């Protein structure tokens, strides 16, 4: 029996690797993950939603409709308590240019420059959406709690990982191995929550 095709609706290489690892762990051999590179005519979806769930569904719906195969997409970001949940849905483009991790991290450090350790709490959130060509859809959320450090540490991961120290650990999430991060991260939790529905709906 050939594996079911599932479109990963992202061009972010870090996310693609995380998706692939986690879904392979859950549904090895049953799902063939297809990237957007196999659909060169598909354009990026404007994230016009006001929540992570709205943006995830926007991306998954549009990519499913355009490709004709089931699509899975996520929207994720960092919410800092002292900043009233910012950068939130604007995490990837907070400093002005989409995907400029260094600029985003520099802005975050500047915003928290005089904030003491006890008030630097934050969490990553990820909402994953699965949309089927027949109109069925579902979403699942995962959260990853911790605090913001005073300088970037570590070379693994992407985004705000070098500044994020998970609760109960003395290292940043950029110092964790891929398997360590997958086990407790927001994306890992969200994908593991939606994986049974992926298998069931396919």
């Amino acid at each position: 029996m050939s594996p079911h095709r599932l479109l990963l609706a992202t061009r972010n290489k870090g996310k693609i690797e995380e998706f692939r690892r986690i879904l392979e762990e859950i549904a090895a051999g049953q799902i063939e993950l297809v990237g957007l590179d196999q659909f060169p005519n598909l354009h990026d979806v404007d994230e016009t939603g006001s929540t992570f769930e709205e943006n995830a569904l926007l991306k998954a719906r549009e990519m499913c409709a355009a490709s004709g195969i089931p699509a899975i997409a996520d929207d994720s970001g960092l919410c800092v308590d002292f900043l009233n949940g910012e950068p939130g849905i604007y995490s990837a483009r907070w400093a002005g240019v989409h995907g400029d991790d260094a600029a985003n991290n520099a802005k975050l450090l500047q915003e928290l420059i005089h904030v003491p350790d006890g008030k630097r709490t934050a969490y990553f959130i990820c909402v994953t959406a699965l949309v089927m060509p027949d109109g069925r859809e579902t979403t699942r959320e995962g959260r990853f709690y911790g605090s913001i450090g005073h300088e970037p540490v570590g070379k693994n991961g992407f985004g705000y990982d070098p500044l994020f120290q998970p609760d109960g650990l003395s290292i940043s999430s950029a110092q964790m191995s891929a398997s360590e991060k997958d086990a407790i991260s927001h994306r890992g939790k969200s994908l593991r929550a939606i994986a049974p529905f992926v298998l069931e709906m396919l």
Side-chain angles (χ1 to χ4, degrees):
M1 183 176 164
S2 60
H4 299 285
R5 298 178 81 211
L6 176 65
L7 176 63
L8 289 180
T10 181
R11 299 185 196 280
N12 182 314
K13 290 182 179 178
K15 282 188 182 182
I16 290 169
E17 284 307 308
E18 276 190 301
F19 268 124
R20 213 174 279 282
R21 286 194 307 267
I22 293 164
L23 285 176
E24 284 297 318
E25 168 196 322
I26 293 162
Q30 297 180 67
I31 294 172
E32 178 194 350
L33 296 173
V34 179
L36 286 177
D37 55 341
Q38 296 194 30
F39 294 91
N41 295 326
L42 293 186
H43 300 292
D44 290 338
V45 178
D46 289 331
E47 297 180 9
T48 55
S50 59
T51 66
F52 292 104
E53 183 177 38
E54 286 177 13
N55 283 330
L57 280 167
L58 274 173
K59 289 184 276 190
R61 284 170 182 157
E62 190 160 325
M63 294 304 181
C64 176
S67 68
I69 65 172
I72 194 165
D74 87 305
D75 195 41
S76 55
L78 177 70
C79 301
V80 179
D81 296 317
F82 185 82
L83 302 177
N84 298 313
E86 287 191 8
I89 60 171
Y90 305 107
S91 293
R93 54 191 186 277
W94 199 34
V97 178
H98 195 283
D100 189 338
D101 292 348
N104 288 332
N105 283 325
K107 179 172 182 178
L108 179 56
L109 287 177
Q110 186 60 38
E111 293 281 344
L112 298 178
I113 194 165
H114 297 302
V115 179
D117 286 347
K119 294 185 177 180
R120 299 172 75 93
T121 53
Y123 61 90
F124 280 115
I125 184 171
C126 175
V127 176
T128 302
L130 170 68
V131 174
M132 305 294 289
D134 63 10
R136 287 177 295 159
E137 57 187 40
T138 189
T139 62
R140 288 295 180 274
E141 178 186 300
R143 295 191 180 197
F144 186 23
Y145 290 92
S147 58
I148 304 302
H150 294 271
E151 61 182 11
V153 183
K155 301 293 185 184
N156 300 331
F158 59 97
Y160 297 94
D161 282 339
L163 291 177
F164 186 80
Q165 183 176 319
D167 282 349
L169 298 179
S170 58
I171 59 174
S172 77
S173 51
Q175 292 175 288
M176 302 172 75
S177 70
S179 60
E180 288 172 333
K181 184 182 173 191
D182 291 347
I184 62 173
S185 76
H186 51 308
R187 191 164 293 107
K189 291 172 182 173
S190 180
L191 278 175
R192 280 191 294 275
I194 209 169
F197 296 92
V198 173
L199 293 173
E200 181 183 317
M201 290 165 78
L202 289 173

